[in-house]
Amino acid sequence: MPAAPMQNVVQLSAQGSVEASQDLLSISMNTTRQGPDAGTVQNQLKAALDAALAQARQGARPDQMDVHTGSFNLSPRYDRDGKITGGQGSVELVLQGRDFALISATAGKIQTLTVGNVTFGLSREQRERVEGEAQTMAIDHFKARASQIAKGFGFAGYTLREVSVNTNDQVMPPRPRMMAMEARAAMSDAPVPVQAGNSTVLVTVSGTVQLK
């Protein structure tokens, strides 16, 4: 026999959002090289990366500034006839942590690489705290709305049938001052100018309730 159709079941959703200051900075630095062969390019990239790592490791501190290598690309270079005329490649170093002053100062001291990208985000501790607050808010809103709907239809209350929880970030960082970053090449040891923005963590609770 076919299942009886569900009655007095309502589908609804509610949200909770919490805004928090971005407390995690990531600066990726890179350089590209070209040469007569892949071996020469690889040696040039290695030398540039080794010098940058030596400088960065002097100030590395757990969570405050972590240092790790990023992408390392090496490929042939071709002429118009499709013949290999040399090699080309790129290398990346990433500085990441919560000490903005240390990271920006270290990036300014590295002379063999240039700033490629600056991003901001939330640390794990900050994210867990904000997500917890937003989730509690979303659940409270969901329960209040379910009670209101039940009352509006003349029911005494409701029981929860199924529910799902989803989390999204709405990042609103300020526009990086790229001109200032490019100009730092002419200012030895000048810190890279950075300014964090805010992230809004949005939690959505959706599901169905049985009115009773």
Side-chain angles (χ1 to χ4, degrees):
M1 295 178 59
M6 294 186 298
Q7 295 181 339
N8 305 327
V9 174
V10 178
Q11 183 175 2
L12 66 152
S13 65
Q15 294 181 331
S17 64
V18 176
E19 185 175 296
S21 299
Q22 296 165 334
D23 64 340
L24 187 68
L25 169 64
S26 178
I27 296 182
S28 65
M29 307 189 70
N30 54 56
T31 189
T32 58
R33 293 287 191 275
Q34 293 185 356
D37 56 75
T40 299
V41 174
Q42 181 173 321
N43 290 335
Q44 292 175 346
L45 292 173
K46 183 178 183 300
L49 181 59
D50 286 345
L53 277 171
Q55 179 68 61
R57 283 170 176 163
Q58 294 180 18
R61 301 174 189 170
D63 293 331
Q64 302 306 304
M65 186 180 78
D66 295 315
V67 179
H68 66 269
T69 57
S71 61
F72 189 104
N73 300 309
L74 192 63
S75 61
R77 189 157 47 96
Y78 300 92
D79 61 14
R80 294 180 179 178
D81 298 325
K83 296 181 180 180
I84 297 177
T85 59
Q88 60 187 3
S90 63
V91 68
E92 180 186 37
L93 178 69
V94 180
L95 312 177
Q96 185 179 67
R98 293 187 286 188
D99 191 330
F100 289 12
L102 175 60
I103 295 171
S104 61
T106 301
K109 293 177 181 178
I110 295 175
Q111 300 299 310
T112 56
L113 306 177
T114 57
V115 175
N117 192 32
V118 177
T119 57
F120 297 91
L122 301 178
S123 65
R124 183 180 62 183
E125 295 80 6
Q126 181 85 312
R127 177 176 295 280
E128 289 177 351
R129 179 186 67 80
V130 174
E131 283 185 359
E133 292 178 4
Q135 179 173 292
T136 298
M137 187 181 301
I139 292 174
D140 288 343
H141 290 170
F142 183 94
K143 291 163 62 177
R145 189 177 179 195
S147 296
Q148 184 180 29
I149 290 174
K151 183 178 179 180
F153 281 105
F155 290 86
Y158 68 91
T159 56
L160 188 65
R161 292 179 58 90
E162 58 184 32
V163 67
S164 64
V165 180
N166 297 296
T167 304
N168 292 296
D169 285 4
Q170 298 175 342
V171 182
M172 297 171 290
R175 187 180 299 275
R177 293 180 288 172
M178 296 306 297
M179 292 181 63
M181 293 178 188
E182 294 169 358
R184 79 171 184 88
M187 300 182 292
S188 177
D189 293 349
V192 174
V194 295
Q195 181 180 349
N198 294 323
S199 289
T200 298
V201 175
L202 179 68
V203 175
T204 301
V205 175
S206 57
T208 56
V209 296
Q210 176 75 57
L211 305 183
K212 63 176 186 177

